């Protein structure tokens, strides 16, 4: 039995050239990044420009009030570095405070959910360390779109439409910012955000000083006001203050975790993020025959899904800010976990016990009242059935330049639907604290200064001490599952990047979700119908609870990289009809 070959058809050409490449989840961000490269900027300059454009054109997926995780390597030093743009919990964010508010967990929306916004501070720190252009020149692209206008995505209009009632009745600052004469904007109409344009002008003039000054003061004052909360329908004051923003300085060159798989070193952020779960999945799969690693066959999908469920259970039990997870990669422990992969889908939740330690167990709740909704496709949704609690998603960008600098960043949070818009600055705050638990025994227990375990998970690949590929995807918990499928097709099957992105996808849903309402589906498996009826029937016969998600629904991957013989490549995702690659 051989590994399934790639289809000769791809939805778009894989780009090849000798100058530089960019790929993002929105064509305007890609075009902005490539414009910077064309004018002599580096991959770092291009990534910063694209990152701020994404704030403007994908406000339902990320914003200046959100966070990011990045990985990069420079032309002179192939060591994979981490850009740690995940802000911590505010100083007043204690378990006792949230329980005193009558809450059983950190809400998934509203002013009690934000961690310290980390995205803007991280971009500014990256510029200070590696930028070659003036900051104002890099912000000019986003400033133009915010001040002069940009076409509204259909998904942005739909998100605003689903939130309209909440905006009008409870979040008037959001109604003023996002509604047009009381209605959502029409798709492809021209939208502006003059308040955020003024923020960009302030950043161009004074950088971090402006962010720590006027912006921090506006956020702190707004978060401290009583605001209607969608989870319990009551008013709450937030805990985020201006001093919290001023105290946060992101790590620009953090140490990446790595694992070598099939001759390629895979680099991820540390256990304060979800990232190492992908390394754990690869480590569990390592040593298995190729036919068990094929995401196009029933045997492959079954094996991969079982490993994903095991690794994600270990994520919940052991990952957190400051946690030591090296025991999870002990060969003996990996062998124990690998031995749990049976011929049928497991229906129980199985975190492991490395070095004999007892794992923490999260509460296990099934879909229940939400059973009619698919387990989650990674595309943004607004869940108004749970008292208006909104949900959102993420963006991604990858850039490589002619000198060999390479950057991969996944920005998220601060969605327009996540909390009320801060009126003076034109954006909302994030909701990353919902990933913290109010159980002191949890590795992600809420405490002041802790970084909530983020799902943001970009990837770098290295061979022979050279960074050769940057990749990633939006998708919450699914980010590392979708990337795993891509990596197996690339590193085991030898597929080209565009074919690997286009290939039919699947992912386990047999793990506890990181986002409100944090449910799981025992033996759950989401699949694209393009896997084929025979494969899907086989998976159901193996005991998987399969949800068909349509032909093109799972994953929003992009990738850029360097060929061994010289030159560069880029590929982007067709799903969602807005991600693009560019280069020459």
């Amino acid at each position: 039995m051989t590994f399934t070959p790639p289809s000769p058809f791809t939805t778009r050409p894989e780009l090849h050239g000798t100058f530089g490449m960019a790929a993002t989840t929105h064509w305007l961000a890609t075009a902005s990044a490539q414009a910077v490269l064309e004018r002599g900027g580096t991959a770092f300059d291009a990534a910063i420009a694209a990152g701020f454009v994404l704030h403007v054109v994908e406000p339902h997926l990320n914003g200046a009030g959100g966070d990011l995780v990045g990985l990069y390597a420079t032309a002179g030093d192939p060591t994979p570095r981490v850009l740690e743009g995940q802000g911590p919990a505010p100083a007043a964010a204690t378990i006792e405070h949230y329980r005193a508010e009558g809450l059983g967990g950190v809400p998934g929306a509203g002013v009690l959910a934000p961690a310290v916004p980390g995205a803007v501070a991280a971009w500014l720190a990256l510029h200070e360390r590696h930028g070659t252009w003036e900051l104002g020149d890099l912000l000019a692209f986003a400033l133009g779109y915010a001040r002069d206008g940009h076409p509204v995505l259909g998904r942005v209009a739909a998100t605003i439409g689903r939130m309209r009632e909440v905006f009008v009745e409870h979040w008037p600052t959001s109604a003023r910012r996002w509604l047009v004469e009381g209605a959502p904007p029409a798709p492809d109409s021209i939208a502006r955000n003059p308040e955020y344009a003024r923020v960009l002008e302030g950043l161009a003039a004074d950088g971090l000083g402006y962010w720590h000054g006027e912006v921090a003061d506006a956020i702190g004052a707004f978060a401290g006001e009583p605001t209607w909360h969608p989870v319990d329908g009551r008013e709450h004051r937030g805990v985020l203050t201006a001093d919290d923003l001023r105290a946060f300085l992101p790590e620009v060159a953090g140490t990446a975790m790595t694992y070598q798989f099939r001759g390629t070193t895979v680099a991820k952020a540390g256990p304060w993020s979800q990232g190492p779960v992908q390394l754990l999945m690869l480590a569990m799969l390592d040593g298995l025959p190729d036919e068990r690693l094929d995401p196009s066959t029933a045997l492959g999908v079954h094996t991969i899904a079982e490993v994903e469920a095991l690794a994600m259970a270990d994520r919940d039990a052991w990952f957190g800010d400051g946690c030591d997870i090296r025991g999870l990669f002990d060969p003996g422990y990996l062998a124990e976990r690998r031995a749990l992969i049976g011929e049928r889908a497991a229906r129980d939740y199985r975190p492991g016990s490395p070095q004999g330690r007892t794992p923490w167990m999260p509460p296990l709740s099934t879909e229940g009242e939400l059973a009619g909704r698919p387990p989650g496709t990674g595309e943004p949704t607004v869940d108004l059935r749970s008292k208006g609690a909104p949900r959102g998603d993420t963006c991604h960008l990858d850039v490589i330049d002619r000198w060999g600098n390479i950057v991969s960043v996944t920005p998220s949070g601060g969605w327009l639907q996540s909390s009320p818009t801060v009126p003076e600055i034109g954006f909302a705050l994030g909701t990353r604290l919902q990933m913290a638990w109010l159980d002191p025994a949890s590795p992600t227990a809420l405490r002041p200064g802790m970084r909530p375990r983020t799902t943001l998970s970009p990837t770098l690949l290295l061979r022979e001490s050279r960074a050769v590929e940057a990749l990633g995807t939006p998708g919450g918990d699914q980010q590392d599952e979708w990337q795993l499928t891509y990596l197996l097709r690339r590193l085991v099957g030898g597929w080209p990047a565009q074919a690997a992105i286009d290939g039919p996808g699947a992912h386990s849903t047999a793990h506890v979700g990181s986002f409100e309402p944090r449910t799981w589906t025992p033996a759950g498996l989401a699949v694209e119908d393009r896997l084929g009826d025979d494969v899907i029937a086989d998976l159901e016969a193996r005991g998987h609870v399969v949800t068909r998600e349509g032909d093109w629904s799972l994953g929003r991957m992009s990738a850029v990289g360097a060929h061994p013989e010289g030159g560069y490549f880029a590929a982007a995702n067709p799903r969602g009809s807005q991600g693009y690659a560019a280069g020459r």
Side-chain angles (χ1 to χ4, degrees):
M1 186 176 181
T2 59
F3 201 97
T4 302
S7 169
F9 168 78
T10 56
T11 56
R12 55 192 67 185
E14 181 169 304
L15 306 183
H16 299 274
T18 57
F19 179 80
M21 298 282 170
T24 82
T25 49
H26 195 293
W27 65 89
L28 292 179
T30 298
S32 300
Q34 191 64 26
V36 173
L37 295 181
E38 295 290 348
R39 292 162 55 189
T42 67
F44 300 104
D45 298 320
I48 293 165
F52 280 94
V53 169
L54 290 173
H55 289 171
V56 179
V57 299
E58 290 191 320
H60 62 317
L61 303 180
N62 83 135
D67 36 49
L68 63 80
V69 177
L71 286 165
Y72 69 86
T74 67
D77 181 2
T79 304
R81 302 293 184 186
V82 183
L83 176 62
E84 300 178 9
Q86 175 54 61
T94 65
I95 292 175
E96 295 74 21
H97 178 82
Y98 283 76
R99 293 210 181 280
E101 291 287 313
L103 300 169
V106 179
V111 295
L112 280 169
V116 176
V120 169
W123 284 126
L124 296 179
L126 184 67
H127 175 262
E128 182 177 356
R129 188 178 184 94
H130 291 293
T132 67
W133 280 23
E134 293 294 327
L135 181 60
D137 293 332
L138 296 177
L139 298 181
F141 299 89
L143 175 58
Y145 290 127
R147 182 187 58 210
D148 304 325
H150 63 281
V152 176
L153 288 170
R155 285 179 174 80
V156 173
T159 300
I160 295 171
R162 289 193 293 270
M163 289 297 293
R164 178 188 175 279
E165 182 180 341
V166 173
F167 287 175
V168 170
E169 293 184 5
H170 302 293
W171 292 353
T173 59
S174 295
R176 291 194 295 270
R177 165 86 303 279
W178 301 109
L179 298 179
V180 180
E181 296 181 352
D188 299 321
S189 62
I190 300 301
R192 297 169 178 83
N193 189 336
E195 295 84 10
Y196 189 51
R198 287 194 290 272
V199 170
L200 293 168
E201 291 171 340
L203 293 174
D206 193 26
L208 195 62
Y210 179 75
W211 182 257
H212 282 169
E214 289 187 34
V215 174
D217 289 340
I219 289 174
F222 187 79
E225 291 294 322
T227 303
W228 177 86
H229 205 286
V231 173
D232 60 7
R234 297 189 295 117
E235 288 192 342
H236 296 273
R237 297 178 189 270
V239 295
L240 183 64
T241 69
D243 287 341
D244 290 318
L245 271 80
R246 286 190 269 267
F248 174 63
L249 294 175
E251 173 60 58
V252 186
T255 302
M257 287 190 66
T258 61
Y259 182 81
Q260 190 169 69
F261 180 81
R262 301 294 178 97
T264 297
T265 298
V266 184
K268 305 292 288 189
W272 52 270
S273 76
Q274 176 181 283
V277 79
Q278 186 185 110
L279 307 182
L280 191 58
M281 292 172 185
L282 291 170
M284 290 184 191
L285 291 168
D286 216 354
L288 294 177
D290 288 1
E291 59 264 25
R292 298 211 66 166
L293 309 183
D294 188 343
S296 299
T297 68
L299 176 62
V301 173
H302 167 73
T303 303
I304 294 164
E306 292 300 281
V307 163
E308 288 172 345
L310 290 168
M312 294 292 264
D314 277 345
R315 176 201 70 170
D316 293 336
W318 301 111
F319 284 29
D321 195 6
C323 293
D324 183 353
I325 63 170
R326 288 174 294 181
L328 300 177
F329 293 88
D330 177 80
Y333 177 77
L334 291 170
E336 292 175 9
R337 302 296 276 164
R338 204 177 290 120
L340 294 175
I341 305 170
E343 294 306 311
R344 291 186 55 79
R347 294 192 59 83
D348 50 350
Y349 178 83
R350 301 180 291 178
S353 301
Q355 301 161 330
R357 294 179 290 164
T358 300
W360 179 75
M361 291 281 289
L364 298 178
S365 303
T366 58
E367 291 289 320
E369 71 275 11
L370 303 179
R373 192 180 67 197
T377 64
E379 298 301 325
T381 61
V382 177
D383 177 15
L384 294 178
R385 280 174 287 186
S386 181
K387 298 184 181 178
R391 302 174 66 193
D393 199 9
T394 301
C395 306
H396 185 75
L397 64 91
D398 302 298
V399 189
I400 190 168
D401 64 29
R402 55 183 149 164
W403 300 284
N405 300 301
I406 188 167
V407 184
S408 182
V409 181
T410 307
S412 187
W415 311 308
L416 67 87
Q417 66 272 26
S418 64
S419 65
T421 299
V422 183
E424 299 91 341
I425 54 181
F427 59 81
L429 299 175
T431 61
R432 192 65 62 181
L433 277 193
Q434 67 182 290
M435 296 184 175
W437 292 90
L438 301 187
D439 179 353
S442 167
T444 55
L446 181 66
R447 66 183 187 276
M450 61 85 73
R451 285 176 291 185
R453 189 198 67 221
T454 177
T455 56
L456 306 181
S457 190
T459 301
L460 278 188
L461 304 183
L462 299 92
R463 295 190 193 97
E464 298 178 352
S465 300
R466 180 190 181 201
V468 296
E469 190 166 343
L471 58 114
T473 178
D477 290 308
Q478 278 68 60
Q479 288 180 38
D480 287 295
E481 296 179 294
W482 292 341
Q483 290 181 65
L484 179 66
T485 299
Y486 173 89
L487 290 174
L488 292 173
R489 286 187 168 127
R490 291 280 283 147
L491 304 182
V492 182
W495 287 29
Q498 187 63 52
I501 288 174
D502 284 351
H507 67 261
S508 171
T509 58
H511 53 76
V512 177
S514 294
F515 297 91
E516 188 72 28
R518 307 184 96 160
T519 58
W520 79 306
T521 304
L525 181 67
V527 303
E528 288 185 327
D529 295 71
R530 291 182 298 126
L531 274 175
D533 291 341
D534 291 344
V535 170
I536 294 171
D538 190 328
L539 291 166
E540 290 175 328
R542 293 173 186 267
H544 294 279
V545 179
V546 175
T547 301
R548 291 176 177 246
E549 298 283 7
D551 283 342
W552 297 92
S553 55
L554 304 183
R556 288 177 62 203
M557 292 283 307
S558 66
V560 302
H563 292 298
E565 65 276 12
Y568 306 107
F569 67 88
N573 170 61
R575 301 165 180 88
S577 301
Q578 66 190 61
Y580 269 88
R584 67 175 178 87

